[in-house]
Amino acid sequence: MKIHIYFLSVFFFLSLNNTLKAQKTEPGSIVSIKGYKNARNKKIAKHPIKAEEILELPTITLYRVYSVSSINVNQGGGNRGNVDVSDTFWYCKRSDEEVASIISWTFNTQVNKNNIFRKNAAEYFKDYPGLSQKIKDKDYKYDDILEVVAQYDKWKSGQ
């Protein structure tokens, strides 16, 4: 009986719908970008990445790549169900860069969506120490990504 309760609770947890506030933006144009293929920003993807242009500012552009996928899980008793395991990658590219960097990556079954954002965004924006420190100090979270990029552009533009 304990194992059935465990599997049901795991299935329930995985089926929760976790959305980003930042995902509630108007659809942008789809463009091909040269970007890194994983969150460590070490290897450049061999093929162009189809990305939605979310925010284009004078010094930086924010892109979103949404990958839809699901897995079929056994719910017990012969019942099967789909669990949404879609990924959302957030890329930034400064106007003087050739390759877009992943500054955040979230997926629906992820428990702490701030881990990758805190690490990658703090590193990417380290040329603006105040912003980088606010990200590290948890003043900004993964769903503040639009505000973070806008703050960076404002600082970089000298406004």
Side-chain angles (χ1 to χ4, degrees), residues 23 31 33 49-54 63-68 86-91 104-106:
Q23 287 178 332
V31 296
I33 61 171
I49 299 166
K50 297 288 185 196
E52 180 182 5
E53 192 174 89
I54 299 297
Y63 304 95
R64 174 176 57 193
V65 176
Y66 187 67
S67 164
V68 178
S86 302
D87 297 316
T88 303
F89 294 90
W90 294 90
Y91 286 84
S104 188
W105 168 44
T106 59

Side-chain angles (χ1 to χ4, degrees), residues 7 10 20 29-31 34-35 58 61 63 72 74 78 85-86 97 113 119-120 126 132-133 135 140 148 154-155:
F7 282 117
V10 167
L20 276 173
S29 58
I30 304 298
V31 296
K34 186 176 185 178
T61 303
Y63 304 95
N72 195 303
N74 187 351
V85 291
S86 302
E97 294 176 329
K113 296 184 185 304
K119 179 182 177 209
N120 285 20
K126 70 182 178 187
S132 181
Q133 192 60 48
I135 294 167
Y140 288 116
V148 168
K154 187 176 178 182
W155 172 80

Side-chain angles (χ1 to χ4, degrees), residues 122 125-136 152 155:
F125 296 117
K126 70 182 178 187
D127 59 326
Y128 179 6
L131 181 62
S132 181
Q133 192 60 48
K134 283 184 177 183
I135 294 167
K136 289 176 187 174
Y152 180 80
W155 172 80

Side-chain angles (χ1 to χ4, degrees), residues 37-42 89 102 105 116 119-120:
K37 68 179 193 174
N38 59 37
R40 289 185 296 246
N41 291 319
K42 298 272 187 219
F89 294 90
I102 296 173
W105 168 44
I116 295 169
K119 179 182 177 209
N120 285 20

Side-chain angles (χ1 to χ4, degrees), residues 21-22 117 139-149:
K21 285 188 282 183
F117 171 73
D139 291 343
Y140 288 116
K141 295 186 167 65
Y142 77 100
D143 54 358
D144 297 322
I145 200 160
L146 295 172
E147 185 179 344
V148 168
V149 172

